[in-house]
């Protein structure tokens, strides 16, 4: 009975598409399934024969020190859920693996080994790099012509004071279009920067009320006319003015896009002992309940394919949340479908503000 069960388990493990390895309390390999053998034997046959965990590299290609390996971490009691490893020997093509490791405990709770799983993500990883390279090249290639279009449209408009209104409107539309592409390109470059870790911030004391006024003044006239800002005393935080402008712009853009023309948008700034709140409230379409948990994910657009679908690539909120997080703050929202949405950005006052 027992051996039949054991045979079934071996067959199941061998049938898995993930590599499964079991290590004892000393970190020695005691069992490996067929996929594990196939993945590892091309690069690390010697280590396998010696029953040692293969030496892996991190995403940058630096060897992972033995005490930071998923097996060592799991032997210390950690549940390792995601670690990318490169196996980069001379014997075969480079393999990118996603490793997970879980401690195995006896009934008393003592760690007696580790089970590690390996998923071959070489293809997905290569695709991701390709996507990033494409975005980087396309974004840089777009920057120069867009800057040229904007500069020329502005120069023409400024140098010809007697232009007929229709021609001036045309030039204004060119400037706005160029601005839109420029913001899009910047968002894509931000995404790439975030992929590598953090955005670069240059923080100092900044007036949030002034930032808000500046952002509103750069909106198209019809959109700016919808924005209501109650009087507030000066609100200062310690932050990166350009990045906070970007957050404010992203929230206002959304409030404008996802609500009917002419409905008001209320923006308030409030300060308590520890933090500042920037709230943007619209009376628009709202965010569908099933979409709410995804709203800050990159490229997620809740209204795509619906009559409320407008322009955008779904990175505004993703980048805004990262900026706010890097300021030590948080961003949240409440939304009721067909009634409206309020986004709330909380920024800490901190000692420096
Ligand atoms: N105020 C809002 N009201 C309703 N839906 C919203 C609101 N703000 C955001 N959303 C939903 O969240 C999605 C993601 O917003 P996000 O700003 O990240 O992307 P986007 O506006 O589509 O594109 P962009 O990258 O140009 O900002 C939107 O596509 C929209 O479906
Ligand atoms: Mg947006």
């Amino acid at each position: 009975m027992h051996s039949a069960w054991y045979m079934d388990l071996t067959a199941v493990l061998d049938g898995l598409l993930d590599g499964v390895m079991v290590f004892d309390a000393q970190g020695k390999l005691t069992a490996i399934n067929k996929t594990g053998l196939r993945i590892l034997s091309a690069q690390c046959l010697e280590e396998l024969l010696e029953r040692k965990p293969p030496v892996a590299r991190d995403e940058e290609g630096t060897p992972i020190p033995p005490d930071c390996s998923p097996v060592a971490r799991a032997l210390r009691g950690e549940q390792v859920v995601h670690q990318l490893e490169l196996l980069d020997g001379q014997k075969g093509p480079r393999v990118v693996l996603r490793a997970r490791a879980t401690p195995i405990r006896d009934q008393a709770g003592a760690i007696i080994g580790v089970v590690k799983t390996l998923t071959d993500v070489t293809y997905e990883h290569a695709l991701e790099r390709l996507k990033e390279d494409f975005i980087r090249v396309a974004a840089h290639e777009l920057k120069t012509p867009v800057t040229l279009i904007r500069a020329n449209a502005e120069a023409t408009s400024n140098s010809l004071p007697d232009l007929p209104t229709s021609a001036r409107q045309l030039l204004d539309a060119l400037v706005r279009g160029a601005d839109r592409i420029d913001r899009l390109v910047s968002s894509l470059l931000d995404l790439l920067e975030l992929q590598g870790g953090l955005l670069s911030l240059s923080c100092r004391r900044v007036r949030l009320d002034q930032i808000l006024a500046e952002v509103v003044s750069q909106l198209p006239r019809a959109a700016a006319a919808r924005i209501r800002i109650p009087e507030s005393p000066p609100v200062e935080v310690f932050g990166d003015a350009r990045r906070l402008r970007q957050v404010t712009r992203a929230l206002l853009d959304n409030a404008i896009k996802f609500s009917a023309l002419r409905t008001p948008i209320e923006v308030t700034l409030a300060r308590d002992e520890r933090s500042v709140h920037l709230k943007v409230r619209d009376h628009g379409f709202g965010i569908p309940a099933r979409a709410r948990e995804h709203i800050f994910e990159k490229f997620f657009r809740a209204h795509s394919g619906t009559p409320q679908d407008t322009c955008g690539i779904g990175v505004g909120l993703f980048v805004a949340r990262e900026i706010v997080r890097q300021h030590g703050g948080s961003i949240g929202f409440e939304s009721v479908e067909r009634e409206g949405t309020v986004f709330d950005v909380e920024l800490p006052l901190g000692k420096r503000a």
Side-chain angles (χ1 to χ4, degrees):
M1 179 69 188
H2 182 266
S3 80
W5 175 83
Y6 178 77
M7 281 195 31
D8 279 349
L9 189 59
T10 310
V12 169
L13 287 177
D14 280 343
L16 292 178
L17 294 176
D18 283 348
V20 181
M21 303 161 86
V22 181
F23 296 86
D24 66 14
Q26 279 69 49
K28 265 209 172 311
L29 182 67
T30 57
I32 182 165
N33 72 346
K34 274 193 181 151
T35 311
L37 266 180
R38 186 180 50 73
I39 293 175
L40 296 181
S41 58
Q43 302 278 12
C44 331
L45 196 56
E46 286 91 4
E47 286 94 336
L48 277 181
L49 291 174
E50 286 180 33
R51 297 182 166 255
K52 286 197 286 199
V55 177
R57 295 168 190 275
D58 64 16
E59 269 186 280
E60 270 77 49
T62 318
I64 299 172
D67 62 335
C68 295
S69 73
V71 173
R73 287 166 60 193
L75 281 173
R76 293 196 294 268
E78 207 181 316
Q79 175 102 23
V80 182
V81 288
H82 179 102
Q83 180 161 325
L84 275 189
E85 293 185 343
L86 305 184
L87 293 182
D88 204 1
Q90 273 125 42
K91 294 157 221 151
R94 188 166 99 167
V95 184
V96 185
L97 300 170
R98 188 175 55 230
R100 292 162 202 259
T102 314
I104 306 169
R105 295 176 188 273
D106 64 14
Q107 282 181 336
I111 295 174
I112 54 167
V114 166
V115 57
K116 176 179 175 182
T117 60
L118 292 174
T119 310
D120 187 343
V121 290
T122 312
Y123 178 70
E124 290 83 342
H125 198 255
L127 215 60
E128 194 62 30
R129 290 278 107 58
L130 206 68
K131 220 164 61 187
E132 282 175 19
D133 287 348
F134 171 75
I135 293 176
R136 186 171 294 111
V137 172
H140 282 298
E141 286 299 311
L142 276 170
K143 271 260 177 221
T144 319
V146 161
T147 314
L148 264 178
I149 292 171
R150 189 187 200 291
N152 281 320
E154 264 182 345
T156 313
S157 179
N158 293 339
S159 63
L160 300 172
D162 301 327
L163 267 183
T165 315
S166 58
R168 194 167 298 285
Q169 280 171 345
L170 204 111
L171 290 173
D172 286 351
L174 270 181
V175 171
R176 277 203 308 278
D179 273 348
R180 163 106 199 107
I181 302 178
D182 193 52
R183 276 205 309 283
L184 208 135
V185 167
S186 301
S187 300
L188 289 176
L189 291 174
D190 285 345
L191 269 192
L192 293 181
E193 212 177 315
L194 281 168
Q195 213 98 334
L198 298 178
L199 291 168
S200 47
L201 293 190
S202 152
C203 294
R204 60 189 167 81
R205 280 162 174 271
V206 287
R207 288 265 304 271
L208 217 49
D209 51 314
Q210 286 176 350
I211 286 179
L212 175 60
E214 260 173 68
V215 173
V216 173
S217 73
Q218 284 158 6
L219 290 173
R221 209 167 313 138
R226 295 169 57 192
I227 304 205
R228 315 264 180 273
I229 309 176
E231 280 286 317
S232 86
V235 178
E236 218 174 47
V237 291
F238 189 78
D240 182 318
R242 182 173 72 90
R243 293 298 187 185
L244 292 175
R245 229 176 274 131
Q246 195 178 341
V247 172
T248 312
R249 178 73 196 238
L251 298 184
L252 289 181
D253 272 349
N254 286 347
I256 294 162
K257 272 197 305 192
F258 300 104
S259 57
L261 287 177
R262 285 188 283 276
T263 53
I265 291 157
E266 289 119 24
V267 186
T268 55
L269 276 175
R271 169 188 170 148
D272 60 31
E273 276 145 37
R274 287 183 304 130
S275 52
V276 170
H277 285 265
L278 165 72
K279 290 191 190 184
V280 178
R281 179 186 300 276
D282 65 58
H283 301 274
F285 316 136
I287 300 170
R290 63 186 154 66
R292 287 183 197 149
E293 59 177 306
H294 303 292
I295 219 72
F296 292 102
E297 289 168 13
K298 64 181 153 188
F299 303 126
F300 181 80
R301 302 182 63 241
H303 296 85
S304 62
T306 71
Q308 287 93 35
D309 197 357
T310 57
C311 56
I313 54 167
V315 299
L317 286 179
F318 174 78
V319 175
R321 183 173 63 172
E322 289 307 316
I323 294 173
V324 172
R325 274 185 179 164
Q326 281 188 42
H327 279 80
S330 62
I331 178 168
F333 68 92
E334 281 173 25
S335 188
V336 179
E337 267 189 278
R338 288 179 292 279
E339 285 188 22
T341 305
V342 52
F343 274 88
D344 181 356
V345 173
E346 181 178 14
L347 292 167
L349 279 175
K351 284 206 172 68
R352 288 165 293 189

